[in-house]
Amino acid sequence: MSELLDLTVAGALARIGAGEFSSDEYFGAWVEAAGGDELNAYLWRADRDPPGTSGDGDLAGVPIAVKDIFCTEGIQTTAGSRILEGYRPPYSATAVRRLGDAGARLLGKTNMDEFAMGSSNENSGYGPVLNPWDRERVPGGSSGGSAAVVAGRLAPWAIGTDTGGSIRQPASLCGIVGMKPTYGAVSRYGMIAFASSLDQCGPLTRDVTDAALLLRVLEGRDPCDSTSVGIEGGVKLPGREDLDGVRFGVPRELAADAEGIESGVSDVFEAAVKLIEELGGEVEETELPHAAHGISAYYVIAPAEASANLARYDGVRYGLREGDGDLAAMYEHTRSAGFGAEVKRRIMLGTYALSAGYYEAYYGQAQRVRTKIAEDFERAFERFDFVVTPTSPTVAFEIGERVDDPLSMYLSDYCTVPMPLAGIPAISIPAGLAPPQGGGPELPVGFQIAGPAFSENAMLDAAYALERAIGFDATPPG
Ligand code: GLN
């Protein structure tokens, strides 16, 4: 049984194809594994084959864990919020539907920060997720449940969403691969909206090949999402073994000069840069002069969009309703009881930033910074194929360490926020282990590769070559 759980999905599909075991055996092994969740990583689990899936298709009945932000027909979908408790959507998100059409079977819905707002999963209305490497530490967020189930052998792979880093940062903290595709590569239909101009669905997997396999199914134009365009020519499985002639820029604002990068993280990053050179890649320092303002711009734009998107949770249409009689009082009671502190903080920030008289000073200004950041990347990509940075400034931090200090929490996304602001893709791969700043057992460190819009195929190839050279094979203790 445990042997099945050690395989990547690509590896398992090859064995299923060769008749070594059946897809039902494989699915059953994962149902059993998921049943032993001690990480609070699942909010819902399949106890048998979910209805409506045939298991036919390229993905031959393999299980998939899905972040609870994706609508699943008839299955509770909460986005980690108490305000959506009991909400059973009448339809499935396009990403989920595409997976089902390809033959994948739903294994479970994963815990997450409420409405994807957070970097530690401590903002979930259903309790925090524990990091499989150290249960006193956070798995990252907001796709913390999806990262923890993959790293903790509770699912073979998962999907999540990334608005400012929510796929890449938890992937980094849990020692797995996480990819945020180009804005528009994957449909957002049925994905509960946080900040619509930034949100993007993507894979969390054990290796780069599985990320490609999953993205290949997810991407595509969808008539239900007018911002979706897909990836031209589709996604190919990576196979490149060298990096001859590939040019990598290291932006000093997000690496050497960045504040708060732990020395252990820097060491692992530098070692991976050396490997790139050994593989034939060219590495040079570069600059992204406005990247340091990414967090400030993001924390105006994302809350502004969230304040509009979250207006629909009023006690009338979905989930929770508190109080009866007076309509205005019912709205107030429902929203006070249903939303957590971070969500309320963002609704207030966003509403303020969009209010008459302040709109230009905050929202308008943040949008101008966003354009500057996109232009910085365009300039860098005239000289380089990719830009590389540490994914997260630190390894996994302790539960409770940053909850009372929203600013330090927001800085977790220092290196990941500029890419969604520019709409470009980026992948995080595990690059090694490092001790936390205060000492203690070693924890995973992620290496981030970002590229121009729709460079996914080349990016997966480069990540694949580097992944082979790094040879990361550590697994969580126990
Ligand atoms: N941690 C960031 C936030 O709290 C990013 C979240 C995300 O990408 N969904 O908004």
Side-chain angles (χ1 to χ4, degrees):
M1 217 52 138
S2 86
E3 197 205 323
L4 297 192
L5 309 187
D6 285 337
L7 301 168
T8 63
V9 176
L13 281 170
R15 306 254 199 123
I16 292 170
E20 289 180 36
F21 50 83
S22 70
S23 67
D24 284 347
E25 278 173 81
Y26 186 61
F27 188 79
W30 281 109
V31 167
E32 196 175 307
D37 173 21
E38 292 176 355
L39 305 172
N40 195 31
Y42 279 114
L43 296 177
W44 177 89
R45 279 170 298 195
D47 49 12
R48 58 183 173 85
D49 206 353
T53 48
S54 65
D56 295 336
D58 288 354
L59 297 184
V62 300
I64 177 119
V66 169
K67 185 178 184 179
D68 203 31
I69 201 164
F70 292 92
C71 288
T72 41
E73 188 180 341
I75 294 170
Q76 176 174 277
T77 300
T78 66
S81 183
R82 289 284 174 189
I83 211 159
L84 279 173
E85 203 166 354
Y87 171 58
R88 286 188 173 70
Y91 68 106
S92 288
T94 297
V96 172
R97 197 181 42 71
R98 291 183 73 98
L99 285 164
D101 289 348
R105 294 188 266 196
L106 184 63
L107 177 63
K109 302 286 302 282
T110 59
N111 199 348
M112 57 178 284
D113 283 303
E114 187 174 3
F115 290 106
M117 297 175 186
S119 306
S120 69
N121 233 290
E122 291 163 294
N123 295 337
S124 167
Y126 302 89
V129 176
L130 315 182
N131 188 315
W133 292 81
D134 177 347
R135 296 184 183 192
E136 317 259 279
R137 291 178 186 269
V138 305
S142 64
S143 309
S146 286
V149 294
V150 176
R153 300 287 189 273
L154 302 170
W157 59 1
I159 58 171
T161 60
D162 192 310
T163 304
S166 278
I167 289 175
R168 293 160 289 154
Q169 186 257 9
S172 171
L173 269 46
C174 288
I176 60 165
V177 173
M179 185 177 198
K180 184 207 91 76
T182 307
Y183 186 78
V186 182
S187 169
R188 289 180 296 109
Y189 182 70
M191 196 172 105
I192 293 172
F194 163 16
S196 310
S197 76
L198 296 157
D199 299 342
Q200 192 52 207
C201 160
L204 293 109
T205 57
R206 290 252 285 278
D207 71 0
V208 175
T209 302
D210 277 4
L213 199 58
L214 194 43
L215 184 60
R216 183 160 81 176
V217 174
L218 293 170
E219 69 82 23
R221 181 170 149 59
D222 174 12
C224 297
D225 171 4
S226 61
T227 65
S228 70
V229 286
I231 295 171
E232 221 186 299
V235 174
K236 291 166 202 67
L237 295 192
R240 183 167 184 154
E241 289 177 16
D242 63 68
L243 291 172
D244 282 339
V246 186
R247 299 156 305 161
F248 294 84
V250 182
R252 63 180 85 82
E253 296 81 3
L254 299 181
D257 290 357
E259 245 177 86
I261 299 206
E262 287 180 346
S263 59
V265 171
S266 275
D267 293 346
V268 171
F269 177 72
E270 293 304 331
V273 165
K274 285 226 173 62
L275 284 176
I276 289 181
E277 287 172 326
E278 283 169 26
L279 289 168
E282 295 159 25
V283 187
E284 252 180 82
E285 196 179 74
T286 183
E287 52 180 28
L288 294 171
H290 302 89
H293 304 297
I295 292 285
S296 312
Y298 175 86
Y299 278 99
V300 173
I301 293 167
E305 294 185 18
S307 71
N309 276 328
L310 271 55
R312 68 184 64 138
Y313 305 107
D314 55 5
V316 176
R317 285 169 282 195
Y318 310 93
L320 186 75
R321 175 179 300 179
E322 287 282 321
D324 42 22
D326 181 70
L327 183 64
M330 189 278 285
Y331 289 159
E332 216 173 291
H333 289 138
T334 300
R335 290 170 69 86
S336 327
F339 288 138
E342 183 62 24
V343 173
K344 288 176 184 159
R345 176 157 38 233
R346 301 219 189 170
I347 291 173
M348 285 188 280
L349 269 174
T351 308
Y352 179 76
L354 291 177
S355 54
Y358 296 101
Y359 184 95
E360 252 320 293
Y362 294 107
Y363 189 71
Q365 188 69 3
Q367 289 290 25
R368 277 188 283 278
V369 173
R370 182 176 190 174
T371 302
K372 291 281 177 207
I373 291 174
E375 289 169 355
D376 283 357
F377 278 112
E378 273 166 35
R379 218 162 293 127
F381 292 137
E382 285 167 12
R383 280 176 58 209
F384 300 102
D385 298 295
F386 302 108
V387 157
V388 294
T389 77
T391 309
S392 158
T394 69
V395 294
F397 45 94
E398 278 171 21
I399 293 174
E401 199 180 311
R402 298 188 191 170
V403 274
D404 296 326
D405 185 356
L407 279 185
S408 85
M409 188 72 91
Y410 294 173
L411 287 173
S412 311
D413 295 303
Y414 189 79
C415 298
T416 51
V417 137
M419 295 78 186
L421 285 171
I424 60 173
I427 190 168
S428 176
I429 63 170
L433 299 173
Q437 202 75 304
E442 293 191 311
L443 295 163
V445 175
F447 184 87
Q448 178 174 232
I449 307 174
F454 302 109
S455 64
E456 276 84 352
N457 279 306
M459 180 181 297
L460 286 160
D461 254 340
Y464 177 81
L466 184 59
E467 170 184 65
R468 287 171 55 100
I470 292 171
F472 182 88
D473 62 359
T475 50

